[in-house]
Amino acid sequence: MLYSVSDVVSALETIAPPAYQESYDNARLLTGNPANQVTGIICSLDVTEAVVQEAIEMGCNLIVAHHPIIFKGLKSLTGKDYIERTVIKAIKNDIAIYAIHTNLDHVQHGVNKKICDMLGLVHPKILAPKPNLLMKLTTFVPIESTESILRALDQAGAGRIGNYSSCSFQVAGTGTFKPSEEANPTIGRKEELTRVAETRIEVLFPAHLKNTILKALKEAHPYEEVAYYLQNLENENQEVGSGMVGELEHPMEEAAFLHHLKKAMNLRVVKHTALQNKPIQKIAVCGGAGIFLLSAAKRAQADIFITADVKYHEYFDADNQLIIADIGHYESEIYTKELLLEFLSQKFSNIALYLTKIVTNPITYI
Ligand SMILES: [Zn+2]
């Protein structure tokens, strides 16, 4: 079976919908023709000229990367900096670049779950769930169509809450309507008031699935005109948001934990604030620059917050309430390429998949 770039993009967008990215982000297909047939994929944290060269040499025409090489608008493409040179090289060699960035940070099985897994944490959950990503559909259906419509809504992605699927609320009642002369009613006659035993169905769904859900509803519903309400919900979506918090099965002494962290994540350096002389059990993590989550980590009563890109004054904010540990941006996210490869290998068993061998970390240590 042959796959196009857009087949791979759609599969990636089912695990990390673009709607979940931050407003400043640019997670998307950045270069390449979506209709091109994929010859092989390289998974990488960053895209540099060296990674594009590697793709050429490996016969791969798709690079799936975490960081978008095109982040701000490009007003010219002359090769004056590494960004433009990388983009030009990709385009000249017909190589597609797909970036899966903060949307992958924000999903339950994304960047932060990978860190939790590497540290052996149990009960991982999103540290700062995002509000305003859920909607509610209320609709009215003839009683005999209740099950088939619920099934259609379920298949379209409605009614999932945490570990539960097919979640709905139903109540029986009476619907009334009078079809006009122009109508083509499924039940009742033109110009006659009709009363029908109906079910009122309420289901939640992720807002980005709105069009899919409405299409499924209209296709499954027997009426010519389907009555429904949509509501935006302020509820947080517990499965989408920044950072993650999990626990060690057995508490560890602080120094022992820091050594465990170093070994598990293959780190040369961990920069951290003062030890608190109490065991570590609850651990907050955020791959990349995550210090904006410090108060969320404190609220979650984490013993340590592991992230990167912490500035001098921000370390003071630990304020003897927890340990802040900076493990480096690259180091915190480098295993994201493995996460991408694992996902792609489940979906596309016959596409050649590789992890980049290029070390793209711009920081070195002496
Ligand atoms: Zn990053």
Side-chain angles (χ1 to χ4, degrees), residues 107-120 244 265 285 332-340 342:
V107 292
Q108 254 186 332
H109 295 280
V111 176
N112 297 310
K113 174 65 164 39
K114 184 75 187 167
I115 301 174
C116 290
D117 289 347
M118 294 186 73
L119 296 177
M244 215 158 215
M265 304 284 297
V285 305
S332 71
E333 295 187 324
I334 184 58
Y335 301 99
T336 302
K337 65 180 181 182
E338 289 178 9
L339 179 75
L340 292 169
E342 282 159 28

Side-chain angles (χ1 to χ4, degrees), residues 155-187:
Q155 277 164 11
R160 289 176 202 166
I161 304 177
N163 293 327
Y164 297 80
S165 59
S166 304
C167 304
S168 72
F169 181 76
Q170 305 169 31
V171 63
T174 305
T176 68
F177 49 84
K178 184 157 84 172
S180 74
E181 263 310 318
E182 287 77 40
N184 180 21
T186 313
I187 302 173

Side-chain angles (χ1 to χ4, degrees), residues 109-171:
H109 295 280
V111 176
N112 297 310
K113 174 65 164 39
K114 184 75 187 167
I115 301 174
C116 290
D117 289 347
M118 294 186 73
L119 296 177
L121 305 188
V122 292
H123 314 306
K125 51 181 195 174
I126 300 285
L127 180 59
K130 282 192 174 294
N132 304 313
L133 290 175
L134 289 170
M135 293 186 88
K136 187 177 89 165
L137 167 73
T138 305
T139 187
F140 306 88
V141 309
I143 282 184
E144 59 277 13
S145 302
T146 306
E147 288 312 312
S148 59
I149 288 176
L150 278 171
R151 226 175 6 256
L153 293 172
D154 181 48
Q155 277 164 11
R160 289 176 202 166
I161 304 177
N163 293 327
Y164 297 80
S165 59
S166 304
C167 304
S168 72
F169 181 76
Q170 305 169 31
V171 63

Side-chain angles (χ1 to χ4, degrees), residues 273-306:
T273 55
L275 302 185
Q276 299 296 300
N277 296 316
K278 57 174 190 170
I280 301 278
Q281 181 147 32
K282 206 169 218 193
I283 296 160
V285 305
C286 181
I291 200 67
F292 68 97
L293 289 171
L294 180 62
S295 36
K298 287 180 180 175
R299 272 198 303 280
Q301 297 185 307
D303 302 306
I304 185 166
F305 178 35
I306 299 164

Side-chain angles (χ1 to χ4, degrees), residues 36-67:
N36 281 357
Q37 185 192 320
V38 176
T39 58
I41 304 175
I42 288 199
C43 301
S44 182
L45 177 61
D46 303 292
V47 188
T48 60
E49 287 176 273
V51 176
V52 177
Q53 183 60 37
E54 185 185 31
I56 297 167
E57 285 164 16
M58 304 291 284
C60 296
N61 65 352
L62 173 58
I63 299 169
V64 178
H66 184 48
H67 293 140

Side-chain angles (χ1 to χ4, degrees), residues 2-282:
L2 304 175
Y3 293 102
S4 66
V5 170
S6 70
D7 292 331
V8 176
V9 167
S10 324
L12 289 166
E13 292 187 347
T14 59
I15 53 159
Y20 291 166
Q21 68 184 297
E22 293 290 356
S23 54
Y24 59 77
D25 202 1
N26 194 33
R28 64 172 80 216
L29 186 64
L30 298 172
T31 66
N33 183 341
N36 281 357
Q37 185 192 320
V38 176
T39 58
I41 304 175
I42 288 199
C43 301
S44 182
L45 177 61
D46 303 292
V47 188
T48 60
E49 287 176 273
V51 176
V52 177
Q53 183 60 37
E54 185 185 31
I56 297 167
E57 285 164 16
M58 304 291 284
C60 296
N61 65 352
L62 173 58
I63 299 169
V64 178
H66 184 48
H67 293 140
I69 179 74
I70 303 174
F71 198 60
K72 301 176 195 142
L74 291 175
K75 292 201 169 176
S76 63
L77 269 176
T78 58
K80 66 180 171 297
D81 58 29
Y82 78 95
I83 294 173
E84 293 187 8
R85 287 194 299 276
T86 305
V87 172
I88 290 169
K89 191 175 174 82
I91 293 171
K92 273 188 172 174
N93 290 281
D94 220 1
I95 288 177
I97 299 174
Y98 182 76
I100 182 165
H101 191 212
T102 51
N103 46 335
L104 189 63
D105 289 326
H106 289 156
V107 292
Q108 254 186 332
H109 295 280
V111 176
N112 297 310
K113 174 65 164 39
K114 184 75 187 167
I115 301 174
C116 290
D117 289 347
M118 294 186 73
L119 296 177
L121 305 188
V122 292
H123 314 306
K125 51 181 195 174
I126 300 285
L127 180 59
K130 282 192 174 294
N132 304 313
L133 290 175
L134 289 170
M135 293 186 88
K136 187 177 89 165
L137 167 73
T138 305
T139 187
F140 306 88
V141 309
I143 282 184
E144 59 277 13
S145 302
T146 306
E147 288 312 312
S148 59
I149 288 176
L150 278 171
R151 226 175 6 256
L153 293 172
D154 181 48
Q155 277 164 11
R160 289 176 202 166
I161 304 177
N163 293 327
Y164 297 80
S165 59
S166 304
C167 304
S168 72
F169 181 76
Q170 305 169 31
V171 63
T174 305
T176 68
F177 49 84
K178 184 157 84 172
S180 74
E181 263 310 318
E182 287 77 40
N184 180 21
T186 313
I187 302 173
R189 294 209 187 96
K190 294 177 181 186
E191 300 296 344
E192 271 181 28
L193 184 67
T194 307
R195 301 170 80 84
V196 182
E198 290 184 342
T199 310
R200 174 188 169 114
I201 296 176
E202 298 179 29
V203 283
L204 300 189
F205 63 89
H208 72 273
L209 293 181
K210 186 175 97 174
N211 292 339
T212 314
I213 300 285
L214 286 182
K215 186 165 177 271
L217 171 66
K218 287 175 183 170
E219 280 173 8
H221 203 294
Y223 288 179
E224 185 180 22
E225 301 288 355
V226 178
Y228 64 89
Y229 311 130
L230 290 175
Q231 285 165 286
N232 289 311
L233 301 181
E234 286 183 23
N235 306 38
E236 289 169 343
N237 187 337
Q238 300 299 325
E239 289 141 51
V240 183
S242 317
M244 215 158 215
V245 60
E247 286 168 38
L248 288 171
E249 213 144 10
H250 304 289
M252 288 175 84
E253 292 306 321
E254 291 163 303
F257 176 75
L258 288 169
H259 282 106
H260 164 62
L261 169 65
K262 231 178 138 175
K263 196 165 171 224
M265 304 284 297
N266 195 24
L267 309 170
R268 280 189 62 185
V269 177
V270 177
K271 294 199 279 180
H272 63 89
T273 55
L275 302 185
Q276 299 296 300
N277 296 316
K278 57 174 190 170
I280 301 278
Q281 181 147 32
K282 206 169 218 193

